Amino acid sequence: MTAAPSAVFVGLGANLGDREAALRSALQAMAQWPGTRVVRVSPLYRSAPVDAGGPDYLNAVAEIATTLTPEALLQALQSIEQSAGRERPYRNAPRTLDLDILWFGDRVIDTPELTVPHPRMAERAFVLRPLADLVPERVSAVALSRVSDQPIEQLRGADWVAGV
């Protein structure tokens, strides 16, 4: 018997190279995994790096339904990052692709490899704004007001990923 799919929210970001193509390619790769489908994707945003330097990021959040375990999903996301040329020379370094598990159903996970819910998501406008587009009932006005000083701009509606 197959496990029921979990609703998972994945943060996507890139600030090096062809950022939009990297995000679109990551979504296409996720849609190819067994037992996984991309349910919906937020609008596309541009934001300044937080606690880092480098060019502006493009950001979005995807809701996926998957039968993968959290650990298998993390490995699959990291594989996509590596395929996109992701390097980790230092914390918060500019990146060709960054994929983070924000929520995995209602699970709370705290292992050396994975912490869910994502530990810094409440501090990041580039996570909260796209999440609020997808699940406004889970992102409070108070949480959004706490990050209102972080510059973020919606560039395109959710149609930026048409065909994924």
Side-chain angles (χ1 to χ4, degrees):
M1 186 168 158
T2 320
S6 296
V8 179
F9 289 84
V10 177
L12 300 95
N15 75 332
L16 296 176
D18 188 340
R19 301 165 301 168
E20 188 172 335
L23 299 183
R24 188 177 285 112
S25 180
L27 290 164
Q28 289 168 339
M30 286 183 229
Q32 301 304 311
W33 296 332
T36 302
R37 69 184 174 88
V38 176
V39 176
R40 57 194 173 141
V41 181
S42 75
L44 185 65
Y45 286 88
R46 178 175 53 217
S47 65
V50 175
D51 299 331
D56 285 352
Y57 275 85
L58 291 188
N59 297 99
V61 170
E63 178 184 0
I64 65 172
T66 188
T67 57
L68 294 173
T69 65
E71 297 77 16
L73 177 61
L74 177 63
Q75 287 180 343
L77 292 172
Q78 289 175 341
S79 176
I80 292 173
E81 289 177 341
Q82 288 177 326
S83 294
R86 168 81 187 259
E87 296 179 2
R88 299 173 189 266
Y90 54 90
R91 184 174 170 84
N92 296 328
R95 51 203 65 163
T96 53
L97 185 62
D98 186 29
L99 303 171
D100 291 322
I101 300 171
L102 305 174
W103 286 317
F104 197 104
D106 292 325
R107 294 179 67 169
V108 175
I109 303 165
D110 189 6
T111 68
E113 297 79 31
L114 180 61
T115 303
V116 175
H118 191 283
R120 291 174 304 284
M121 63 190 260
E123 303 165 12
R124 311 282 201 239
F126 64 80
V127 173
L128 293 180
R129 286 278 303 276
L131 264 178
D133 290 325
L134 296 179
V135 284
E137 69 280 4
R138 291 187 70 177
V139 181
S140 72
V142 170
L144 287 170
S145 71
R146 287 189 190 122
V147 296
S148 62
D149 61 328
Q150 296 174 22
I152 184 167
E153 173 189 6
Q154 182 177 324
L155 297 179
R156 300 187 40 206
D159 61 340
W160 72 275
V161 287
V164 172

